[in-house]
Amino acid sequence: MERPRPDEPVTALPGVSYVMPVLNDVTHVGAAVQSLLDQDYRGEFDVVIAVGPSIDGTNELVEEMGRADPRITVVDNLAGTTPSGLNIAIRASRHPIVIRVDAHSVLPTSYARVAVETIERTGADNVGGIMDARGTSAFEKAVARAYGSRIGLGGTPHHVGGAEGPADTVYLGVFRRSALERVGLFDERIKRGQDWELNERIRSTGGTVWFTPDLRVTYRPRSTLSRLGRQFFSTGLWRGELTRLIAGSRRLRYFAPPVLVLGVSLGVVLGLLGLVLAVVGSPAGPVLLLGWSAPVAYALIVGASAVVVARPDGVRTMMWFLVVLPCIHFCWGVGFVLGYLSLASNIAAQTYKKGAAKSDARKS
């Protein structure tokens, strides 16, 4: 079927609202917004950017974009968190289809069109696809390789791809506004993992979350090791908290990094103790030296993974992969343990239950 020309308005298509929380993303936000303006979708659209109190010039940049294009609305997100920014942007938008966008993401020109077609074809409340991580420096390429490999983030469909169909969660998300309103928008107490938790509520109310590999979003990874570490510590922390509070989130793959951290750490401790005892002639020394088998085995796995996964991007990327992969595993794993034990989170189970009760009351 012949598609309409750019100058032919199509009123039958539902309008879409792009919502984007932004905080200290002056390097990436321009390309992210431009990818929205370049969409080939012919329905009406608006772009709502919820900008937090940034210190790198992000506020000034997005305000300038808003003045230059009337389709862009800029709203303040004083809390600065992702879920609060999303909710503020959603409430300020107006169309029946809401497309979540990340400031680190670049949407292909067909994204909105394919997403709306998929929603209408499947009847889903939320559709999404693959987070296609792409780096520019050797470090970023190593991070991208880790993102897209099973050894890195566990091989979920929205990282490595898979068959189209119902899913627990998807990357970003293209929502029916009615579904968001039905479940009460994002839970602003959950700073990471809010997508999974929202999709859990959508599915628990009879809605469908749909994964399709036809939606692929370019994602720009963190550019430094410290930022990567903070990102994954925070992600693991909140995943541990959600796993503790919500039974439906207890997937075995989430326990792999903390088990790895505990196993390697215990192996190092036993190995060091074995060295001390071996020096003083204790018969227990040689036995405890077997503890080194855990960290040595992990080091061999990391080394082999660097060759298999990162080799296409060159030697420098392979070398960075040797650092990036343990950083992801250990920061995520340590965060998960602390979150699961509720040692570093300000969310309590009782508070969560009260919030869920309020959400149920709104729906009824």
Side-chain angles (χ1 to χ4, degrees):
M1 181 176 66
E2 183 180 355
R3 296 198 178 279
R5 298 194 310 270
D7 58 347
E8 291 180 336
V10 181
T11 57
L13 293 173
V16 301
S17 292
Y18 303 96
V19 296
M20 178 191 298
V22 181
L23 177 69
N24 291 322
D25 277 311
V26 69
T27 303
H28 301 101
V29 66
V33 173
Q34 189 60 50
S35 75
L36 310 181
L37 303 179
D38 291 341
Q39 293 291 298
D40 63 12
Y41 187 70
R42 298 309 172 199
E44 293 185 358
F45 76 92
D46 60 356
V47 178
V48 183
I49 304 173
V51 60
S54 303
I55 58 174
D56 66 345
T58 297
N59 297 67
E60 293 78 6
L61 176 60
V62 297
E63 287 169 2
E64 181 181 344
M65 289 189 289
R67 289 191 295 268
D69 194 320
R71 297 170 297 182
I72 300 175
T73 300
V74 179
V75 292
D76 289 327
N77 173 22
L78 297 180
T81 66
T82 296
S84 65
L86 286 168
N87 286 346
I88 290 169
I90 291 169
R91 294 186 182 106
S93 65
R94 59 190 179 92
H95 291 300
I97 302 295
V98 177
I99 300 180
R100 178 185 171 174
V101 187
D102 188 279
H104 281 250
S105 63
V106 177
L107 304 188
T109 56
S110 62
Y111 187 85
R113 172 171 54 80
V114 172
V116 172
E117 289 173 353
T118 304
I119 282 182
E120 294 181 336
R121 172 171 56 85
T122 63
D125 284 325
N126 179 22
V127 303
I130 298 173
M131 185 181 77
D132 185 16
R134 300 281 180 176
T136 53
S137 67
F139 174 81
E140 291 174 356
K141 289 178 181 179
V143 177
R145 288 290 181 180
Y147 270 47
S149 66
R150 296 187 182 279
I151 190 67
L153 298 185
T156 52
H158 62 278
H159 287 300
V160 301
E164 182 180 46
D168 290 344
T169 191
V170 291
Y171 179 55
L172 297 180
V174 179
F175 302 86
R176 295 181 189 271
R177 181 180 294 273
S178 58
L180 290 172
E181 293 173 346
R182 183 179 77 237
V183 301
L185 306 187
F186 289 88
D187 190 326
E188 295 186 14
R189 294 161 299 153
I190 301 175
K191 304 304 184 287
R192 295 271 184 177
Q194 64 275 110
D195 302 272
W196 186 95
E197 192 276 337
L198 174 66
N199 285 320
E200 172 72 7
R201 282 185 281 135
I202 288 176
R203 293 188 294 110
S204 69
T205 57
T208 299
V209 178
W210 191 267
F211 168 80
T212 174
D214 294 335
L215 293 177
R216 181 179 291 267
V217 181
T218 299
Y219 174 83
R220 301 303 182 192
R222 297 299 190 271
S223 58
T224 66
L225 190 63
S226 61
R227 291 179 179 177
L228 182 70
R230 288 195 298 269
Q231 176 192 13
F232 276 93
F233 177 80
S234 178
T235 301
L237 181 74
W238 287 93
R239 174 53 62 186
E241 182 75 14
L242 289 174
T243 300
R244 184 175 63 84
L245 294 177
I246 306 174
S249 68
R250 293 168 190 166
R251 304 288 189 269
L252 286 177
R253 66 174 179 270
Y254 297 142
F255 290 91
V259 169
L260 169 68
V261 169
L262 294 174
V264 171
S265 300
L266 180 61
V268 170
V269 171
L270 292 177
L272 290 174
L273 182 59
L275 286 175
V276 173
L277 293 178
V279 169
V280 300
S282 171
V287 176
L288 294 179
L289 285 174
L290 294 175
W292 288 111
S293 59
V296 169
Y298 178 67
L300 292 175
I301 291 172
V302 172
S305 299
V307 174
V308 174
V309 176
R311 181 172 55 182
D313 289 328
V315 174
R316 291 188 63 198
T317 299
M318 288 173 57
M319 298 303 292
W320 270 119
F321 193 89
L322 296 174
V323 179
V324 163
L325 192 62
C327 176
I328 290 174
H329 287 165
F330 277 79
C331 290
W332 200 101
V334 170
F336 182 95
V337 171
L338 296 177
Y340 192 82
L341 297 177
S342 194
L343 296 178
S345 172
N346 60 2
I347 293 183
Q350 184 176 0
T351 305
Y352 181 87
K353 291 176 181 177
K354 288 181 179 179
K358 291 180 181 179
S359 178
D360 290 340
R362 285 195 299 268
K363 289 180 283 186
S364 60

